[in-house]
Amino acid sequence: QSLRERFGKSIEKNLELFGVSEEQLKEVDRELQGLKKNEMEGDEEVLQRKGFRQNANYYTRGEDLNILRFIAENERFEDVRGNEVWHVMEERKVVKGRSWQSMKERFRKVISARIKSYGLSKEIVRGFEGVGGKKKEKRMA
């Protein structure tokens, strides 16, 4: 049974038991949709309003910028797909309390997709073009 089916069959009919109205749920949906459009606001404000896990250690914009700064200053653009640069970043505590695996995944999944939103120079952004995601290799037939 899908979550949508379960909601329709049992939860939606009993919203009163949960102490919530359909209008309240719709209002929360509207608020969340507004947040998705404004994700580039101040990190702490967005995290407080998103209401995600309390004990999660979310990355801040400053941490993202530390990762980008290290790669750019050391001209390691081509090395982000490997592990060596990430091990060095962990050793030098570029982002305190983050493992090299965590930093690499953050770069691969989030930072590389939002690279133009960090206010970097065009030259640095060009350095990052084509790095971060999975590299598709052509197979020889």
Side-chain angles (χ1 to χ4, degrees):
Q1 189 179 44
S2 75
L3 186 59
R4 183 177 298 221
E5 289 173 346
R6 181 170 182 231
F7 183 82
K9 287 180 180 176
S10 52
I11 298 173
E12 191 172 28
K13 294 176 183 175
N14 297 306
L15 289 177
E16 288 177 13
L17 295 174
F18 297 106
V20 67
S21 69
E22 188 174 345
E23 186 55 41
Q24 288 173 314
L25 292 177
K26 288 179 181 179
E27 179 62 30
V28 170
D29 281 344
R30 284 191 291 272
E31 288 176 16
L32 289 174
Q33 290 302 319
L35 281 176
K36 289 177 184 175
K37 293 176 187 173
N38 297 320
E39 279 189 340
M40 303 320 288
E41 295 174 8
D43 292 320
E44 289 184 22
E45 180 183 339
V46 172
L47 289 176
Q48 288 172 355
R49 292 188 344 199
K50 280 185 180 178
F52 288 134
R53 299 170 305 179
Q54 290 180 345
N55 297 328
N57 190 12
Y58 293 104
Y59 274 82
T60 65
R61 184 175 177 82
E63 288 175 319
D64 289 349
L65 288 170
N66 286 344
I67 291 169
L68 291 167
R69 191 176 303 116
F70 180 88
I71 295 167
E73 287 175 358
N74 295 285
E75 298 181 5
R76 301 291 299 259
F77 302 109
E78 295 298 319
D79 299 332
V80 296
R81 284 195 187 102
N83 293 339
E84 182 184 2
V85 69
W86 304 106
H87 284 282
V88 171
M89 289 172 70
E90 182 180 36
E91 287 173 16
R92 295 187 187 175
K93 296 181 178 19
V94 171
V95 181
K96 292 179 182 163
R98 303 289 188 180
S99 69
W100 69 268
Q101 297 97 328
S102 173
M103 289 185 283
K104 181 177 179 178
E105 286 302 297
R106 174 69 177 184
F107 180 83
R108 192 176 71 80
K109 293 180 178 179
V110 179
I111 297 173
S112 62
R114 298 180 182 171
I115 196 72
K116 293 181 180 176
S117 72
Y118 290 99
L120 304 171
S121 70
K122 289 180 182 179
E123 182 180 303
I124 292 176
V125 171
R126 251 184 265 122
F128 284 108
E129 285 179 359
V131 300
K134 291 184 178 178
K135 185 176 181 180
K136 293 185 179 179
E137 295 182 19
K138 295 181 180 176
R139 292 187 177 181
M140 301 292 263

